[in-house]
Amino acid sequence: MDIHHLQEKINRQSDELSETRAQLRGYSGRMTLSLESTSDADIIRLETLKKDHVEHSSLLEVFNVPEFTRILVCDLKPRLARLLTPCLPAYLLLAAFRYYDHARDEAGLTGLFSAVHVVLKDTITNSSDMDVLSLWLVNSWRLLNLLRQYSGESNKEWFAANSQKQNSQRMQSFDLGPLRDQLRARVEESFQNLLKRAIEPVLSPKIVPAVLQHESSQEMVVNGSCAENSERRQSTREQNFKRLNFIHNKLKVYGADSVLLGQVFGQMTYWICALALNHLMFRKELCNFEKAIQIKHNVTEVQSWLSANGLSAHRETLEPLVQASHLLQSKKDESNLDTLCGEMTSRLKPKQVIAILQHYTPTDGFEERRLSSDFLIKISEKLNARTRQNGGTEADINMLIMMGTYLTPFNSEPFVYSDFNLQTLSLPTCLHLQAVCKLL
């Protein structure tokens, strides 16, 4: 009897399974795909095929300035912009400015710029979104450089690398200096807002845990099993570099050049150094030999990431942290005074060295005593003399705290050449620009 009931149950379940499979085979529901879930690093762009005798003059005639401005600035979503030609808005605006310059239409040129500038300023001022601010920082900076590269002025640096064709496309009628001045202000504002509103809130809370507190691979070998070590190493690495990769990929996908990337990551690297060093100097649990090894390991990983991403110039920014770790690992007695006050601490201020030594905690069984006040006075005097000898001021001698999340203003002086061929410009159908402008 039990076997009979069991067989019936199996048969019933088999029938239900067959029915479910049949329903799935006949399922006609729509599958929805979202670009939101695609990471910046996974974006694929296809190059336009070159066609013989299909060419335009790279002049963009705008029929409807308000609509053109709305579509190009207000309605351009970052998720769509990252699929288009990098810096497309900048190139389209240059083509439009060239049209008005070619037609000697000053009112048209300034009218278009003013319309774009007002909307752009409003967008930058009121946004805290990393994508929006990244998109318009990159495009504003590119447009500023294009207005230098294609200007009709006599600054040889701006057109020295131009091809013959690019030189023939330079402005002929108007000096665009006043436009560049206003655009420069938008570049500086978008840089400031991106760093302070979008990046700092994400980065700053993680700096101290990532640089000073998370365990290095050496420490984990001592404290845990192999499987646990592997998992924790992976977690640590993700915590350290996921944010850096995320921001780097985001800027790159919108078309950021090396100068822009250098200034963004130079600022971030300074923050990492300043916040970590400021904490280190006043926390005894961090000022010991073992922690120094860990901190050096963590900082070296950040420096390696910078090198791997073409940002080697900013490795030096982290040297105060490297030197602080060397100081904690060094021999601390009068026989080593010259070394302690020499090249090993050249990137640290006198009071910073003293603060680290004052909070230094000897390792049990390794060092027998804390540092005496007489020894610290000798260190201080020698460091102060070194600072004066190197042309330092009393402010340098008395400086202790680094300026935390101080933001260095964007340097818009460097010029960045673009080899983009304006004659390959096209109006993407997805933007619906064809009704408001036309490439001639």
Side-chain angles (χ1 to χ4, degrees):
M1 187 69 174
D2 290 338
I3 295 176
H4 178 70
H5 283 302
L6 181 60
Q7 185 62 48
E8 284 184 346
K9 186 175 181 180
I10 292 172
N11 291 340
R12 187 166 60 251
Q13 289 178 340
S14 179
D15 291 339
E16 289 173 354
L17 181 59
S18 297
E19 183 178 349
T20 302
R21 283 174 175 164
Q23 290 173 346
L24 287 173
R25 281 196 296 270
Y27 178 69
S28 59
R30 295 181 62 188
M31 181 181 292
T32 58
L33 298 175
S34 174
L35 291 175
E36 301 286 355
S37 60
T38 306
S39 71
D40 294 315
D42 293 332
I43 292 297
I44 297 174
R45 292 192 181 95
L46 302 180
E47 296 293 331
T48 304
L49 292 174
K50 293 183 179 179
K51 298 181 180 180
D52 294 337
H53 310 301
V54 178
E55 198 173 85
H56 55 71
S57 62
S58 61
L59 300 174
L60 183 67
E61 181 182 6
V62 179
F63 314 131
N64 187 330
V65 169
E67 275 298 291
F68 176 78
T69 302
R70 180 186 63 79
I71 293 171
L72 199 61
V73 182
C74 298
D75 292 354
L76 181 59
K77 303 302 180 187
R79 65 177 180 271
L80 178 59
R82 62 185 187 157
L83 300 175
L84 304 174
T85 299
C87 298
L88 179 66
Y91 292 119
L92 290 177
L93 285 169
L94 174 67
F97 295 153
R98 288 189 62 248
Y99 170 81
Y100 288 115
D101 179 82
H102 186 75
R104 295 181 174 274
D105 185 353
E106 180 182 357
L109 199 161
T110 56
L112 173 60
F113 179 83
S114 296
V116 171
H117 182 258
V118 167
V119 175
L120 181 60
K121 183 177 181 180
D122 183 69
T123 300
I124 294 169
T125 300
N126 295 309
S127 179
S128 298
D129 182 83
M130 187 181 295
D131 278 284
V132 171
L133 293 170
S134 297
L135 171 64
W136 290 111
L137 170 60
V138 170
N139 275 277
S140 299
W141 172 239
R142 179 59 57 86
L143 182 58
L144 176 61
N145 280 289
L146 290 173
L147 293 183
R148 294 191 275 202
Q149 180 177 341
Y150 287 92
S151 76
E153 297 157 60
S154 57
N155 189 323
K156 292 183 179 180
E157 179 193 0
W158 293 350
F159 56 85
N162 280 1
S163 65
Q164 185 176 353
K165 185 65 177 179
Q166 286 176 320
N167 276 329
S168 72
Q169 294 169 330
R170 291 168 60 197
M171 301 292 176
Q172 302 296 321
S173 303
F174 302 113
D175 177 354
L176 303 185
L179 275 62
R180 290 197 300 270
D181 290 341
Q182 292 194 48
L183 190 58
R184 184 178 291 109
R186 300 289 72 76
V187 172
E188 293 168 356
E189 183 183 6
S190 55
F191 175 78
Q192 177 176 331
N193 290 352
L194 173 65
L195 268 297
K196 297 299 286 185
R197 294 181 185 177
I199 293 179
E200 184 192 332
V202 175
L203 182 70
S204 292
K206 306 296 184 182
I207 289 174
V208 171
V211 177
L212 302 182
Q213 293 175 350
H214 84 65
E215 294 181 343
S216 66
S217 56
Q218 293 97 321
E219 188 169 331
M220 288 187 287
V221 168
V222 175
N223 293 339
S225 66
C226 292
E228 184 182 357
N229 290 342
S230 177
E231 183 178 345
R232 291 174 68 183
R233 275 197 296 272
Q234 184 178 5
S235 174
T236 296
R237 188 166 185 81
E238 287 177 358
Q239 185 181 34
N240 275 343
F241 303 116
K242 188 174 182 179
R243 287 177 296 276
L244 296 178
N245 285 324
F246 177 79
I247 296 167
H248 189 264
N249 289 335
K250 191 166 294 298
L251 289 166
K252 288 282 287 184
V253 81
Y254 293 129
D257 56 55
S258 59
V259 171
L260 181 56
L261 288 170
Q263 295 201 48
V264 171
F265 282 91
Q267 185 65 65
M268 291 167 61
T269 305
Y270 172 82
W271 285 348
I272 290 172
C273 181
L275 291 176
L277 186 63
N278 287 345
H279 277 78
L280 174 65
M281 289 188 294
F282 299 103
R283 293 175 60 173
K284 287 188 175 183
E285 77 275 15
L286 298 176
C287 290
N288 58 61
F289 187 90
E290 291 83 358
K291 273 292 182 181
I293 296 174
Q294 176 186 321
I295 292 167
K296 173 68 182 301
H297 170 81
N298 298 340
V299 174
T300 301
E301 281 197 329
V302 178
Q303 289 180 319
S304 297
W305 184 92
L306 290 169
S307 296
N309 287 277
L311 298 161
S312 299
H314 303 289
R315 289 173 59 99
E316 280 291 309
T317 306
L318 295 170
E319 273 304 299
L321 276 176
V322 174
Q323 292 191 358
S325 66
H326 289 166
L327 177 62
L328 290 170
Q329 296 175 72
S330 66
K331 184 180 179 182
K332 302 168 189 65
D333 59 30
E334 293 194 25
S335 67
N336 203 35
L337 204 60
D338 289 340
T339 301
L340 293 173
C341 300
E343 189 63 30
M344 189 181 75
T345 57
S346 60
R347 297 293 299 274
L348 293 169
K349 303 296 183 184
K351 283 189 177 295
Q352 292 171 344
V353 174
I354 297 301
I356 292 170
L357 293 177
Q358 283 177 330
H359 290 85
Y360 178 72
T361 305
T363 303
D364 292 339
F366 184 68
E367 295 167 304
E368 297 180 356
R369 58 182 176 80
R370 291 182 179 275
L371 303 178
S372 69
S373 57
D374 289 343
F375 177 69
L376 292 176
I377 290 172
K378 289 180 181 179
I379 290 279
S380 179
E381 290 174 347
K382 198 168 183 66
L383 289 171
N384 291 346
R386 180 187 74 180
T387 302
R388 293 189 182 98
Q389 185 179 353
N390 292 335
T393 64
E394 291 301 311
D396 293 318
I397 290 174
N398 293 316
M399 178 182 170
L400 175 60
I401 302 296
M402 291 187 72
M403 294 178 68
T405 54
Y406 168 75
L407 181 63
T408 305
F410 186 84
N411 179 13
S412 59
E413 288 305 311
F415 166 69
V416 182
Y417 165 78
S418 170
D419 61 0
F420 183 81
N421 183 358
L422 296 180
Q423 291 165 281
T424 64
L425 265 180
S426 61
L427 301 178
T429 306
C430 59
L431 295 184
H432 307 293
L433 282 167
Q434 287 78 2
V436 297
C437 62
K438 179 176 69 173
L439 280 164
L440 302 178

